[in-house]
Amino acid sequence: MKPQVEYSLYLVTDSTEALLGDRDLVEVVEQALLGGVTIVQYRDKTSDTGDLVATATALHEKCKLHNIPLVINDRVDVALAVGCEGVHLGQDDMDVASARAILGPDRIIGATVSSIEEARKAVERGADYLGIGTLYATNTKKNTKDIIGINGIRKILKYLDDADEPSQKVKTVCIGGVNASNLQRVLYQLYAPSSLSKPKTIDGVAVVSAIIGVRDPRTAASHLRSLIASPHPFAATPQPTLDASKLDDSTLKQSVIRAVKAVHETSPLSHNMTNLVVQNISANIALAIGASPIMSNNGAEAPDLAKLGGGLVINMGTVTPEALSNHRKAIEAYNAAGGPVVLDPVGAGATSARKEALTFLLASGYFDLIKGNEREIMAVARASGFTLDDTTQQRGVDSGTSLFSTPQKAYIVSRIALRERTIVLMTGAVDLISNGTHTLAIANGHPYLGMVTGSGCSLGTTISAYLAANKEGKFLAAVAGLLHYEIAAEDAAKREDVRGPGTFIPAFIDELYLRRVDVVEGRKAWVDRVKVEVVEPIGDFGLLREA
Ligand code: 3NM
């Protein structure tokens, strides 16, 4: 009989100096077993066969004591010699069908896959589980073929879900760069429902350095186990239920007032990795709303800054390879610290470099909110793995004017939000914001905002501060930031001294500051001017299809 396997915490060993140092592998694995790993793969690409068999035998003894299966990377002969539970095969190793013929039906055979085609073949040939990767870049294995990120893994899961019964039943783990700092986000995002049905999700995470490369593998393994077992903080965040009848009165307005005050009282750091054009105005706007701006594009600073409890804005405005590598470091740091991250995919879709940059960023970590104009959000839809309806694609290159109606926009933002498990804000004359469950249309603002450079980018800055100061209710915090911004713009545009976009800018900074002071000093009348509507139900316009 094939052993029953629990895949949730899958340990892959590494015997290299860089990770194992001078420690004994068998002792390290024993500690990991005590910590709670649920399956072990012995992976050693360099040792002689005799040494492999000796080490595998010793590892198997330890695993048996804990009732944990051991599989051998690549070497079917070693698995047979040791009599362990199975093998794990890479794309360059023996194929799954041949290994199955040798090992018989009762051994576990796993396969590394990084594409739908590889997944299809591995299942057809009889794999019990798939190791899907590479999720994130990792120092442990440099020669990985592809970094496919959350979206690449999601596509493979979706394919398995829609395919035949063996595909639906095959077990899955993801691998590459998983550690305690990102594990919960990875599981959370991979659980993202892509349709109304309950999706196929990942059965576990495979890790190397997060256990083998640390001083205390037992504690590390047990910490990872507890993270797997506990509710993810992002999922646990209570999302207030909104309905149209409640919107007129207290829920929304109270939450705006609370959020404005929270920014004022906590003065959260807004860490901007933004483009050169807007640094100055974004910093001034951050100060006006009561936040504390820092414009640092150096990823090496991010771990220290992330500890200060603020939010991060990744703005793709002046994207270069060097900037992207700094962005990735910062996203990892803020994800690890639990600080909110806003993505502003400026100009996404305009050039192929920007499209690639967007895919790279989405694969780099978790964003709490993605904001952009219509075009940018459509680029996000594509990068998130949606196929766009043909007419949408065509019209997408024609003009700068809006292509979609408000109900269509609501459909688009809610689909992306659900898939990415994030908040999506599409700006425009009417803004649409959705967390996948609730979608709001907001009609505040003024056309001058569209005539000055940096107003979109500075909205990202504003929202980052609102999210950082109001961590317990991200959706309404983002709405509050947007309303503060847009109502201040209305007030600035009305002023007699404002004659056009040039005089608008200083007036806008003043009015942002004044609306904050109003709330702090108890003058809350401006909050009554919100123009917010719940969009419900969301129609299915068929504009975005699962790839
Ligand atoms: N296989 P860490 S990535 C062994 O993508 C391995 O197939 C990969 O190491 C793949 O957990 C990888 O230290 C190394 O990032 C993963």
Side-chain angles (χ1 to χ4, degrees):
M1 263 239 317
K2 199 173 280 193
Q4 281 290 319
V5 187
E6 218 270 86
Y7 287 92
S8 63
L9 185 55
Y10 183 130
L11 173 67
V12 182
T13 72
D14 188 294
S15 305
T16 60
E17 169 75 31
L19 289 189
L20 189 61
D22 56 6
R23 294 171 303 166
D24 176 51
L25 180 68
V26 180
E27 278 168 23
V28 169
V29 170
E30 183 172 26
Q31 290 302 308
L33 288 163
L34 288 165
V37 299
T38 60
I39 170 168
V40 177
Q41 177 194 137
Y42 174 38
R43 180 171 182 271
D44 182 338
K45 294 290 193 192
T46 53
S47 292
D48 294 335
T49 305
D51 291 339
L52 285 177
V53 172
T55 306
T57 304
L59 288 174
H60 196 213
E61 288 307 313
K62 299 290 181 199
C63 286
K64 278 193 291 190
L65 287 177
H66 293 267
N67 215 5
I68 292 297
L70 175 72
V71 297
I72 311 291
N73 182 281
D74 181 6
R75 298 290 298 267
V76 176
D77 55 340
V78 174
L80 278 174
V82 173
C84 66
E85 286 67 33
V87 291
H88 180 88
L89 304 169
Q91 286 296 319
D92 300 327
D93 302 338
M94 181 187 289
D95 75 89
V96 173
S98 308
R100 181 62 76 204
I102 297 170
L103 291 171
D106 292 343
R107 309 272 182 150
I108 303 162
I109 302 183
T112 297
V113 303
S114 54
S115 67
I116 287 175
E117 185 53 18
E118 288 172 0
R120 188 188 64 74
K121 280 196 189 131
V123 174
E124 187 180 280
R125 293 173 181 173
D128 296 295
Y129 77 89
L130 307 178
I132 312 178
T134 304
L135 174 56
Y136 298 133
T138 170
N139 287 327
T140 308
K141 188 175 171 188
K142 289 266 169 50
N143 62 341
T144 52
K145 262 194 310 188
D146 292 305
I147 298 189
I148 60 174
I150 292 287
N151 283 327
I153 293 181
R154 227 185 248 154
K155 277 184 202 160
I156 295 173
L157 292 175
K158 169 87 178 122
Y159 158 77
L160 294 169
D161 217 10
D162 293 343
D164 55 5
E165 201 188 328
S167 305
Q168 286 159 7
K169 285 202 170 140
V170 75
K171 298 290 180 186
T172 54
V173 296
C174 59
I175 184 159
V178 180
N179 55 49
S181 76
N182 59 23
L183 184 149
Q184 287 187 312
R185 283 182 194 265
V186 166
L187 294 177
Y188 180 66
Q189 285 192 287
L190 285 179
Y191 193 72
S194 49
S195 61
L196 290 178
S197 61
K198 186 169 177 289
K200 184 171 179 67
T201 183
I202 205 90
D203 295 295
V205 291
V207 300
V208 184
S209 53
I211 292 179
I212 302 287
V214 301
R215 210 176 35 81
D216 183 352
R218 179 175 179 167
T219 305
S222 120
H223 181 43
L224 293 171
R225 267 303 283 272
S226 69
L227 289 173
I228 291 167
S230 52
H232 315 145
F234 342 100
T237 304
Q239 293 293 345
T241 309
L242 300 177
D243 64 48
S245 62
K246 289 220 182 81
L247 260 190
D248 309 325
D249 55 329
S250 53
T251 312
L252 181 77
K253 288 172 188 167
Q254 286 308 318
S255 85
V256 172
I257 291 163
R258 228 180 328 170
V260 173
K261 276 191 188 150
V263 174
H264 174 82
E265 280 159 15
T266 61
S267 195
L269 187 80
S270 170
H271 176 178
N272 288 253
M273 299 186 96
T274 192
N275 65 75
L276 307 173
V277 191
V278 306
Q279 290 191 351
N280 182 277
I281 188 170
S282 293
N284 280 325
I285 283 178
L287 289 168
I289 63 161
S292 167
I294 180 162
M295 320 315 268
S296 164
N297 287 328
N298 179 2
E301 275 194 318
D304 285 342
L305 293 173
K307 289 188 195 126
L308 303 176
L312 172 70
V313 186
I314 298 291
N315 176 305
M316 254 176 49
T318 30
V319 71
T320 60
E322 195 201 344
L324 285 174
S325 112
N326 280 307
H327 290 167
R328 178 167 273 181
K329 284 187 195 133
I331 295 164
E332 284 170 0
Y334 276 80
N335 278 182
V341 187
V342 173
L343 174 64
D344 193 345
V346 178
T351 63
S352 48
R354 275 173 203 254
K355 281 183 202 147
E356 278 168 30
L358 180 56
T359 305
F360 175 91
L361 290 172
L362 286 175
S364 296
Y366 177 77
F367 295 97
D368 297 78
L369 184 141
I370 302 174
K371 71 155 279 284
N373 60 29
E374 195 175 293
R375 249 140 237 277
E376 290 159 354
I377 294 300
M378 293 317 278
V380 171
R382 245 179 250 119
S384 171
F386 284 112
T387 306
L388 271 50
D389 170 72
D390 280 352
T391 53
T392 312
Q393 298 258 37
Q394 285 252 297
R395 291 191 300 165
V397 290
D398 287 341
S399 75
T401 51
S402 181
L403 307 173
F404 304 110
S405 65
T406 297
Q408 286 176 321
K409 289 180 186 175
Y411 155 88
I412 291 164
V413 292
S414 71
R415 287 294 297 272
I416 304 172
L418 198 61
R419 187 184 169 100
E420 291 291 327
R421 302 206 87 179
T422 184
I423 301 168
V424 177
L425 166 60
M426 185 193 279
T427 54
V430 174
D431 310 299
L432 276 301
I433 184 166
S434 181
N435 62 4
T437 312
H438 303 301
T439 304
L440 305 180
I442 299 178
N444 291 99
H446 191 276
Y448 282 162
L449 282 173
M451 296 180 204
V452 296
T453 187
S455 67
C457 304
S458 304
L459 174 60
T461 304
T462 299
I463 290 177
S464 77
Y466 269 81
L467 295 182
N470 298 278
K471 292 203 177 76
E472 67 299 336
K474 288 191 296 190
F475 183 60
L476 287 179
V479 171
L482 179 64
L483 289 168
H484 180 179
Y485 201 81
E486 297 201 319
I487 290 176
E490 291 169 3
D491 292 339
K494 285 201 291 252
R495 273 170 42 164
E496 275 182 13
D497 56 334
V498 172
R499 323 236 342 252
T503 39
F504 170 75
I505 296 174
F508 177 44
I509 295 173
D510 285 351
E511 298 299 323
L512 279 167
Y513 165 74
L514 292 168
R515 292 300 78 73
R516 162 164 71 104
V517 174
D518 281 347
V519 167
V520 171
E521 294 180 355
R523 294 182 298 274
K524 298 165 187 167
W526 68 263
V527 179
D528 290 332
R529 285 162 40 213
V530 301
K531 295 183 199 152
V532 179
E533 271 178 38
V534 180
V535 189
E536 227 170 70
I538 304 284
D540 182 357
F541 293 94
L543 297 164
L544 304 181
R545 279 177 282 114
E546 294 286 346

